[in-house]
Amino acid sequence: MRNFAIFFGLLALVVLSCTEQPVDRPSTLIVTGISEAKGSEIICVDIDSGAVVNTTPIDCYVFGSTVYDPTTKGYGFVDCDTTFKLVNPESGKLIKSIKLPGFVSQAVIDANDNMLIGRYSTMIFGDEPDTIDTKSAKTGPPIYTNYVIRVNLSTGVIVSNNKIDVEDGTYATTYYYDEKAKHYILYRADNYLITIEPATGKIIKERHVGKILANSVYNPVNNTLISLSFSAGDNERTYLTVINTETGAEISSVLIESGGYYGNIAGYDKENNWYITVNSKFEVVCFDVSTGEIKKSYQLENPMKDIKFWRR
């Protein structure tokens, strides 16, 4: 389970729903992710029937760059040419293509402002201390500079692009966006949640959590963060943990089944109080947040990464 504690070296929050809808309001649970079983492709699946709705070939993508855009109902990702592409997952039609200055990841959507927000890094090599005077061609240690970027999805214009200081890095799968406050939150390597003002790049708040968090999802209703967690020295056990995002204090933590979970796949169904992720058997599992009990599961036929869920 230590694989979840990957620091972001290169490197949306979507509300997922396993809710059973009333008879007079039929809906279908749609899953979209990227499979590499037959070359890279976006696969859109109707979970209720198990039918593959559509497949769309792509070249490659950046882990953690995927988002679901509720405005266009598009699935977005950053490709290996640093271009953000928004695709209709049910038809494969390209909705939008925007060139970015770097490999943007830890991406989120501000639906109200129609904005893509994320982070990227640049790298240069410093001088070796013992070769500066001799002007050796030998390169020194890498020096990373991190940025938080905002992009208008309607126009493709980069609204802001600011440096941020994340010290020794962040965890790859714990990040979210507070749309009401317009704050972008990352989980730093020293186990601090840091709140960033994306318009300026300024870190305006830090709070200590003190444990490894992975596959996190934000619940704006009660301002909590729901995550998988792994205590130091106890990585064989997996917990479903709820954190108070204002203070960093733990509200609850319940033991759930271990065995592995795929990174950057998480959501919250507020109607049932379910946390949703995908386990190592490629099952979509819905956990009761209060008890850790599995309330519902779906078997995925196609192994996929960076999955997003929504109802249509």
Side-chain angles (χ1 to χ4, degrees):
M1 299 310 300
R2 292 180 177 85
N3 290 336
F4 278 115
I6 303 171
F7 292 143
F8 180 3
L10 302 171
L11 308 198
L13 179 63
V14 202
V15 175
L16 313 184
S17 176
C18 281
T19 309
E20 295 181 356
Q21 301 291 328
V23 175
D24 60 345
R25 289 169 49 197
S27 65
T28 301
L29 181 63
I30 299 296
V31 172
T32 297
I34 295 177
S35 173
E36 297 176 340
K38 302 176 182 178
S40 296
E41 57 184 356
I42 298 172
I43 298 181
C44 183
V45 179
D46 179 333
I47 282 294
D48 294 327
S49 67
V52 175
V53 178
N54 188 62
T55 61
T56 306
I58 63 173
D59 290 330
C60 62
Y61 87 107
V62 177
F63 176 80
S65 70
T66 58
V67 294
Y68 173 69
D69 176 26
T71 302
T72 62
K73 295 180 171 52
Y75 179 84
F77 66 98
V78 177
D79 70 11
C80 294
D81 292 322
T82 71
T83 298
F84 175 74
K85 293 182 178 179
L86 192 60
V87 177
N88 182 323
E90 298 184 62
S91 68
K93 180 181 178 181
L94 181 66
I95 300 170
K96 182 72 69 173
S97 179
I98 302 171
K99 183 67 174 177
L100 301 174
F103 294 107
V104 173
S105 188
Q106 293 184 310
V108 296
I109 292 285
D110 184 327
N112 287 336
D113 292 345
N114 199 24
M115 203 87 69
L116 173 72
I117 301 168
R119 149 193 182 172
Y120 72 98
S121 302
T122 60
M123 185 194 73
I124 61 173
F125 287 101
D127 293 317
E128 284 284 3
D130 59 349
T131 61
I132 294 175
D133 292 336
T134 60
K135 305 299 181 185
S136 169
K138 184 180 179 182
T139 58
I143 300 171
Y144 294 96
T145 303
N146 296 285
Y147 297 85
V148 59
I149 188 171
R150 295 187 301 156
V151 182
N152 187 307
L153 289 176
S154 297
T155 64
V157 172
I158 296 175
V159 178
S160 63
N161 188 21
N162 297 292
K163 290 183 181 180
I164 55 172
D165 181 7
V166 294
E167 298 183 3
D168 292 329
T170 64
Y171 286 94
T173 65
T174 296
Y175 58 95
Y176 66 94
Y177 184 66
D178 182 342
E179 194 161 353
K180 184 177 180 180
K182 305 298 180 186
H183 290 160
Y184 178 59
I185 295 89
L186 300 175
Y187 194 43
R188 207 167 53 199
D190 58 359
N191 296 337
Y192 274 80
L193 282 172
I194 57 172
T195 296
I196 300 166
E197 191 175 70
T200 64
K202 182 180 179 181
I203 296 176
I204 59 176
K205 188 173 184 178
E206 301 182 3
R207 49 268 191 225
H208 187 246
V209 177
K211 60 172 58 182
I212 297 171
L213 300 180
N215 283 12
S216 302
V217 61
Y218 177 59
N219 179 5
V221 176
N222 59 10
N223 202 23
T224 59
L225 191 67
I226 309 168
S227 306
L228 301 180
S229 71
F230 317 95
S231 300
D234 193 21
N235 285 349
E236 296 305 314
R237 292 193 174 191
T238 306
Y239 299 85
L240 186 57
T241 299
V242 180
I243 299 295
N244 181 323
T245 60
E246 284 296 319
T247 65
E250 181 181 292
I251 296 173
S252 66
S253 188
V254 293
L255 187 66
I256 61 173
E257 68 170 12
S258 298
Y261 295 89
Y262 283 89
N264 211 45
I265 303 173
Y268 178 66
D269 176 8
K270 64 181 180 181
E271 293 187 24
N272 291 301
N273 195 33
W274 289 349
Y275 170 85
I276 309 166
T277 190
V278 173
N279 65 20
S280 60
K281 296 178 285 188
F282 289 103
E283 294 175 327
V284 178
V285 283
C286 302
F287 291 101
D288 183 281
V289 173
S290 300
T291 66
E293 179 184 356
I294 295 177
K295 293 295 186 179
K296 184 169 288 190
S297 64
Y298 301 94
Q299 180 66 56
L300 294 172
E301 297 301 324
N302 297 284
M304 293 186 285
K305 303 175 182 178
D306 269 296
I307 294 174
K308 308 302 177 192
F309 302 72
W310 66 93
R311 287 269 179 187
R312 70 171 183 189

